[in-house]
Amino acid sequence: MRNLFILSIFVFACHSSFGQHQADKWFFGMNAGLDFISGSPVAVSGAVQTTEGCSAVSDEAGNLLLYTDGVTVWNNNHEVMPNGTGLFGGVSTTQSALIVPAPGSSDDYYYIFTLDEFGGPNGLSYSIVNMTLDSGSGDVITKNVLVQNDVTERIAALKQPNGLDYWIVVHEWGSDAFYTYSLTSAGLQSPVISNTGIIHSTAQIQNTYGQMKFSTCNDKLAVAAGYQDTIQVFDFDLTTGIVSNPITIPAADHVYGLEFSPDGSELYVTCYDTWGTLLQYDINGNNQYNIILSKIALSVTPDLYALQVGPDGKIYVCKSWSSTLGVINFPDVHGYSCDFNESAINLDPNYQGITSALGLPEFAQNFFKTENSCLATMVNPLSSSGKFFLSPNPAAEAFNLSTGDFTAPLAITVCDAEGRLIFETENFNGQSFSFGEDLKPGIYFVTIKNLKEIHFLKAIKTY
């Protein structure tokens, strides 16, 4: 029954789009912004001026609703909302703010979770925005409700399996405790506490630094523990909110940014090390020794900080106080073929003095979830199912699909990362064929089936 269940999900994914637009508008740094509504990022400007953490949210059509640096809240006209100043976040907090839709509110209400800087007394707090007020531009109706003191500068959010409620995760300052709060239509519930991993030491204030991220596949949580020079990757139980099974990855020097690849196979980390300031780890298999050995330095450029996956499946890399933004074009690919370009996006095309700072916007991770990416990682490796093979992969031109000794008719389907059908044939009788020469760069999924079985492959088209 399990194979049938996987098949039904995958076939549906190949004929339906799972694209979301709630993370299409970004505002960060010194008036910097990106708009992804066209599918590719376009530089725009905003009102925010902040050193580190920030958050933004759009509606499901990609229309901007609000954004914040954790201190001030701006509406879709880039104006300060009524009652939208003096929130308890900090302009020097790694993940100062995180905006989450209020469960059961028909997207009329949004929670803004904030974190105080340096483990300060305002800790984890929340404010609430009512988007029906001020002629539909929103009003902060509840402000600075203190939830928990003594937390680090890390926060992550993820939708629960019921499709309505959210998990909100923070880490206690001075202990090994993760606090996982359930946000429901009745408000914030008592936390699930998981004592696991290292103690986030109070020995120096910089140990509060560093991002915390869920994987887009919803099963992992990663933490960059600042000046403790440590990365940890945990299992996350989406049903219970429990964090467990730490894998520790030591860093040569201070760590700050991290992000999972869309398919969950790679982890990217920024640190201060002159040997490598942007690192890639293959985290398939959950083996600490193999993960550490898989480390690849993608850059030695100094001052790389926050990482954030985009709606286009690429990972964006913040270089401090720069007018350009770096991009990892194919983050699911291990090695240098992931194609990191450290000056890919010009944030200031009109010479207005716009720059990044240290942070990029934080989002609820389910805004980026691609069902087919995660499913393909679960059921098969990149290029081989054991009976069918793709080569070369990644490919700059055409892929060759080898069907081995199969002589029965095969149905072959190719879909893009959004689930759109690209190519299909229902009665293929040969042993190999080429396809994809005209495909745009990106991730594609190949489904091969006959009456008895089904196989999945992932194809990556490069420039």
Side-chain angles (χ1 to χ4, degrees):
M1 290 298 293
R2 179 178 180 274
N3 289 338
L4 181 61
F5 177 68
I6 291 175
L7 170 59
S8 64
I9 292 177
F10 194 88
V11 171
F12 179 78
C14 265
H15 292 278
S16 302
S17 174
F18 282 85
Q20 300 182 76
H21 297 281
Q22 293 159 292
D24 273 6
K25 303 292 194 295
W26 294 18
F27 297 97
F28 56 95
M30 299 293 112
N31 303 115
L34 293 176
D35 187 342
F36 287 87
I37 193 65
S38 68
S40 298
V42 175
V44 296
S45 60
V48 68
Q49 291 189 336
T50 188
T51 304
E52 297 191 61
C54 47
S55 188
V57 69
S58 301
D59 64 21
E60 292 186 355
N63 300 304
L64 176 66
L65 296 176
L66 67 141
Y67 60 101
T68 181
D69 59 0
V71 179
T72 302
V73 186
W74 290 271
N75 64 22
N76 57 356
N77 297 312
H78 307 284
E79 299 168 341
V80 177
M81 276 191 182
N83 205 31
T85 60
L87 273 65
F88 277 170
V91 295
S92 188
T93 304
T94 304
Q95 294 173 294
S96 177
L98 184 57
I99 302 171
V100 176
S105 72
S106 300
D107 293 335
D108 289 336
Y109 293 85
Y110 287 83
Y111 280 77
I112 302 175
F113 291 95
T114 58
L115 295 177
D116 201 356
E117 56 193 17
F118 310 128
N122 291 325
L124 171 67
S125 302
Y126 70 81
S127 301
I128 300 175
V129 173
N130 182 343
M131 289 303 304
T132 68
L133 301 180
D134 195 25
S135 301
S137 292
D139 189 336
V140 180
I141 59 170
T142 300
K143 190 161 71 173
N144 295 332
V145 178
L146 180 63
V147 177
Q148 181 183 348
N149 289 312
D150 300 322
V151 295
T152 68
E153 297 184 358
R154 307 175 182 97
I155 187 169
L158 186 65
K159 187 172 282 188
Q160 296 183 30
N162 63 14
L164 180 65
D165 301 332
Y166 279 84
W167 292 119
I168 311 296
V169 182
V170 295
H171 199 287
E172 189 172 40
W173 178 223
S175 83
D176 64 352
F178 288 91
Y179 282 68
T180 304
Y181 292 89
S182 179
L183 178 65
T184 74
S185 59
L188 206 62
Q189 307 304 303
S190 298
V192 175
I193 301 174
S194 303
N195 294 98
T196 184
I198 62 171
I199 293 173
H200 288 217
S201 168
T202 59
Q204 50 185 334
I205 206 70
Q206 293 91 340
N207 291 341
T208 61
Y209 297 179
Q211 289 182 296
M212 178 166 64
K213 293 290 187 76
F214 282 114
S215 71
T216 53
C217 298
N218 299 349
D219 60 344
K220 298 290 182 184
L221 181 70
V223 174
Y227 279 31
Q228 290 182 257
D229 305 341
T230 301
I231 306 129
Q232 290 198 302
V233 181
F234 300 85
D235 289 335
F236 182 75
D237 190 317
L238 188 60
T239 302
T240 65
I242 293 173
V243 182
S244 63
N245 300 326
I247 292 177
T248 300
I249 307 169
D253 208 344
H254 313 324
V255 293
Y256 187 94
L258 51 73
E259 185 62 279
F260 290 91
S261 65
D263 73 354
S265 65
E266 308 293 326
L267 182 69
Y268 294 86
V269 179
T270 61
C271 62
Y272 300 176
D273 187 9
T274 56
W275 177 83
T277 53
L278 175 62
L279 306 176
Q280 182 198 56
Y281 296 89
D282 182 345
I283 59 172
N284 277 314
N286 282 347
N287 181 282
Q288 180 186 35
Y289 180 75
N290 290 338
I291 291 171
I292 293 172
L293 285 182
S294 75
K295 179 175 72 174
I296 293 176
L298 300 174
S299 176
V300 294
T301 299
D303 298 324
L304 301 182
Y305 283 87
L307 300 175
Q308 178 60 51
V309 68
D312 56 359
K314 300 180 181 182
I315 292 177
Y316 291 82
V317 182
C318 184
K319 182 179 180 183
S320 63
W321 312 106
S322 172
S323 62
T324 63
L325 207 61
V327 176
I328 303 168
N329 284 298
F330 307 108
D332 291 332
V333 179
H334 188 65
Y336 297 110
S337 294
C338 71
D339 189 27
F340 172 56
N341 181 343
E342 59 189 44
S343 299
I345 306 294
N346 183 2
L347 298 173
D348 191 23
N350 297 317
Y351 305 100
Q352 298 174 303
I354 294 172
T355 70
S356 62
L358 309 185
L360 292 172
E362 302 292 339
F363 300 95
Q365 198 64 38
N366 54 282
F367 290 178
F368 304 99
K369 184 178 180 182
T370 52
E371 303 279 354
N372 47 1
S373 291
C374 296
L375 182 59
T377 302
M378 288 165 47
V379 298
N380 63 274
L382 179 70
S383 301
S384 171
S385 69
K387 295 182 178 179
F388 300 93
F389 305 89
L390 278 178
S391 65
N393 192 19
E397 296 182 358
F399 300 93
N400 183 70
L401 175 64
S402 172
T403 63
D405 295 328
F406 270 72
T407 55
L410 298 171
I412 300 171
T413 301
V414 179
C415 302
D416 67 10
E418 293 293 327
R420 292 182 291 257
L421 181 65
I422 301 300
F423 167 83
E424 67 177 339
T425 178
E426 295 184 356
N427 293 289
F428 179 73
N429 288 296
Q431 292 188 355
S432 67
F433 77 102
S434 295
F435 71 96
E437 184 174 2
D438 298 327
L439 290 178
K440 296 178 180 179
I443 299 170
Y444 297 87
F445 299 94
V446 182
T447 307
I448 308 155
K449 61 181 178 178
N450 59 20
L451 294 176
K452 295 182 178 180
E453 55 190 304
I454 185 168
H455 298 258
F456 306 115
L457 300 172
K458 182 170 61 176
I460 297 177
K461 185 70 180 291
T462 60
Y463 292 101

